[in-house]
Amino acid sequence: MDIIESKTWVEWLITIAKFGFCFVPVLYILLLIPMERRGAGFMQDRQGPNRSYIKVPYFGKVRLFGYVQNMCDGTKLFFKEMFAPKGAKKFLYYVAPAIPFAIVFLSPCVIPWFGPMVFEWGGKVVRIAGPIVDSEVGILLLFGFSSLSAYGAVLAGLSSRSKYSYLGSLRTTAMTISYEVCQGLSMMGLLVLAGSFSLTDIVNWQEHHVWGIVAQPVAFFCFLIATIAETGRAPFDVAEGEPELVAGYHTEYGAMQFGLFYMGEYSHICISSLLVATLFLGGYSVPFVTTETIQAHMGGSLAILCWVLAFFALAFLHMIYRYSRKLSASAQSNKMEILQEYKLYKGIGWIAAFVLICAGVASWVLYNPQVTVIDSVAVNTLGVALGTALIHLLVLLVKSVFFCWVWIWVRWTLPRFRYDHVMHLGWKIILNIAILNLVVTAVVAKLMGGN
């Protein structure tokens, strides 16, 4: 009871609400799968998924830019029959797909989604940390959680009783160990500069000094390559190379068992993108603007946020109108159906742009929060703290989505590497560069008066 009564109901409400961030990687799956398929179509000069649709009165066949196709694929996997091959170790066979997907809900716990919330409530100063679990060794916990996902691939290959699956699991184990060593050494230079293993402290250091990509450009590229390899994405998907291993460790899996592996991969991309954005792109910090400046001009900050979102809505409308003009001039047989569908997108876009512009004007003119002084210290209100957290969260999500696109870009640009080339790159090139970068960083930090 003492622990419960030590916090106000607002603190408990915000603390409990933070657990919703555990589901962010799952929401990213809904974004990344259509982004992957549309991106692949764009890079291969084809349209991508555009056949499935739902009928909406007046607007006709609505495809939602391929989202309906993905909903159909997910429904098919969910209702498909699940079975185990003869001779498989049933318990391990069924548990293996759940491991990488379960890790997805643990990894977001240590990521700082926003800066520490400090506000006045009931005459007291309330402080709420950005991560769900505010740990001094948050980066180590995150690496520990992410490394556990390899057990799913290992157990899947072992329990399937298939030589192809078993070889795929062995490759996964070797590659995961190799590139996690490279990951750890790549980021050590930044940890030396920040002087902490806490992700919140690392973001604060970048906010008041310089982004990690500027202070450690060599470490950034080493870390990025190692992270792409650690997620098992092309060109590093040697563990599931179709020409050699059919499909690797998940050859014998189908239905929602395969779906869990599939969603685990995309969730891993989400966590990796959030980690890269946190370590090297300032995390939740806004470029060239400190948190103190945002809080001192909260009305203007929210107005700028609304206007930026309105700009994206107008950019979306520009794309739709450009597509409409191009389609009207073409000889495509179903262009009238598509133009009717585009009317829905135009309506939504114009409404969103109008609402966001009006909200920005109202925030700029009307929102002027006051500062409360407690024990000779100026403390902001709850509204300012929530507004700052919202801006921080959106900034972090935008940065992570950019890196998600980098993952897709790399996959559909480079051919698959040979397995021995993958191991050579990790142990003989990236590892040595990371060690050299760490030594140089430590020497420079010491000469400039670091600890």
Side-chain angles (χ1 to χ4, degrees):
M1 289 300 297
D2 293 337
I3 297 177
I4 295 177
E5 294 175 355
S6 63
K7 294 184 178 182
T8 63
W9 67 269
V10 174
E11 291 179 79
W12 280 115
L13 182 62
I14 297 176
T15 301
I16 294 172
K18 285 197 301 182
F19 282 94
F21 291 124
C22 292
F23 296 92
V24 169
V26 180
L27 298 177
Y28 262 60
I29 296 172
L30 304 177
L31 170 68
L32 288 178
I33 294 177
M35 184 189 294
E36 173 98 70
R37 302 177 81 169
R38 296 291 296 185
F42 171 74
M43 293 182 184
Q44 296 174 351
D45 195 20
R46 55 182 176 83
Q47 291 187 349
N50 65 344
R51 293 294 184 269
S52 298
Y53 59 85
I54 55 176
K55 282 192 174 182
V56 177
Y58 178 73
F59 297 105
K61 299 177 181 179
V62 177
R63 297 169 179 80
L64 295 178
F65 298 102
Y67 272 83
V68 178
Q69 178 70 51
N70 295 287
M71 289 189 287
C72 294
D73 293 338
T75 304
K76 179 192 72 174
L77 287 175
F78 186 80
F79 288 102
K80 206 172 181 181
E81 180 185 3
M82 292 189 293
F83 63 91
K86 185 178 180 180
K89 299 179 180 179
K90 295 292 182 67
F91 177 75
L92 297 179
Y93 179 84
Y94 287 116
V95 167
I99 294 177
F101 191 68
I103 300 302
V104 167
F105 297 98
L106 296 177
S107 300
C109 292
V110 295
I111 293 177
W113 299 95
F114 47 81
M117 296 177 62
V118 181
F119 57 93
E120 178 272 335
W121 187 264
K124 299 191 303 181
V125 178
V126 178
R127 181 183 176 87
I128 299 177
I132 299 174
V133 179
D134 190 16
S135 173
E136 292 296 326
V137 290
I139 186 64
L140 299 182
L141 285 175
L142 185 57
F143 270 87
F145 291 148
S146 62
S147 63
L148 292 176
S149 62
Y151 284 98
V154 173
L155 293 178
L158 179 65
S159 62
S160 295
R161 293 295 180 90
S162 167
K163 67 174 84 172
Y164 300 109
S165 301
Y166 185 58
L167 287 174
S169 65
L170 292 179
R171 284 186 177 186
T172 300
T173 306
M175 194 168 66
T176 300
I177 293 173
S178 303
Y179 281 92
E180 280 193 348
V181 173
C182 297
Q183 271 187 308
L185 285 173
S186 298
M187 71 172 184
M188 285 304 297
L190 185 61
L191 298 184
V192 169
L193 296 177
S196 174
F197 284 94
S198 170
L199 288 170
T200 302
D201 293 342
I202 294 172
V203 174
N204 288 337
W205 183 88
Q206 293 180 78
E207 184 177 13
H208 293 93
H209 293 84
V210 68
W211 279 3
I213 191 174
V214 178
Q216 291 280 286
V218 176
F220 166 74
F221 286 105
C222 291
F223 188 86
L224 183 63
I225 294 172
T227 305
I228 294 175
E230 215 258 334
T231 56
R233 296 275 292 177
F236 297 95
D237 58 339
V238 294
E240 47 191 86
E242 292 88 347
E244 314 129 49
L245 303 178
V246 186
Y249 58 87
H250 56 67
T251 299
E252 304 296 337
Y253 284 90
M256 216 40 215
Q257 296 167 320
F258 167 76
L260 289 176
F261 279 122
Y262 193 62
M263 291 188 292
E265 177 184 316
Y266 280 107
S267 300
H268 202 171
I269 293 173
C270 166
I271 299 298
S272 300
S273 300
L274 289 168
L275 180 59
V276 175
T278 300
L279 290 176
F280 293 99
L281 245 63
Y284 54 75
S285 62
V286 182
F288 311 111
V289 181
T290 62
T291 301
E292 293 78 11
T293 304
I294 294 174
Q295 293 176 338
H297 306 87
M298 180 51 61
S301 300
L302 291 176
I304 293 173
L305 174 62
C306 291
W307 292 336
V308 169
L309 295 176
F311 171 79
F312 284 116
L314 293 174
F316 172 76
L317 284 170
H318 172 73
M319 180 188 71
I320 293 298
Y321 277 102
R322 185 165 61 90
Y323 283 176
S324 298
R325 288 193 298 268
K326 183 178 178 181
L327 190 62
S328 299
S330 69
Q332 191 167 331
S333 60
N334 63 338
K335 65 179 182 181
M336 297 308 299
E337 291 182 354
I338 300 177
L339 290 173
Q340 193 71 10
E341 177 186 358
Y342 282 175
K343 290 182 180 179
L344 174 63
Y345 305 147
K346 291 176 184 178
I348 295 174
W350 280 118
I351 293 173
F354 176 77
V355 170
L356 289 169
I357 292 173
C358 292
V361 173
S363 177
W364 184 281
V365 175
L366 302 176
Y367 190 55
N368 187 25
Q370 302 298 318
V371 177
T372 304
V373 178
I374 300 178
D375 296 332
S376 302
V377 178
V379 184
N380 293 302
T381 61
L382 175 61
V384 173
L386 291 176
T388 306
L390 175 63
I391 294 173
H392 284 173
L393 176 61
L394 291 177
V395 169
L396 177 60
L397 294 180
V398 168
K399 293 176 182 178
S400 64
V401 169
F402 167 75
F403 280 110
C404 288
W405 171 250
V406 172
W407 258 250
I408 296 171
W409 185 16
V410 170
R411 173 178 180 178
W412 296 102
T413 303
L414 300 177
R416 177 183 291 121
F417 295 157
R418 214 168 65 189
Y419 178 67
D420 59 318
H421 290 172
V422 171
M423 302 305 288
H424 180 274
L425 176 65
W427 286 110
K428 294 187 177 181
I429 298 179
I430 296 181
L431 182 63
N432 294 329
I433 294 175
I435 293 174
L436 180 61
N437 178 74
L438 175 59
V439 172
V440 172
T441 303
V443 171
V444 172
K446 186 64 178 179
L447 292 177
M448 295 184 66
N451 295 325

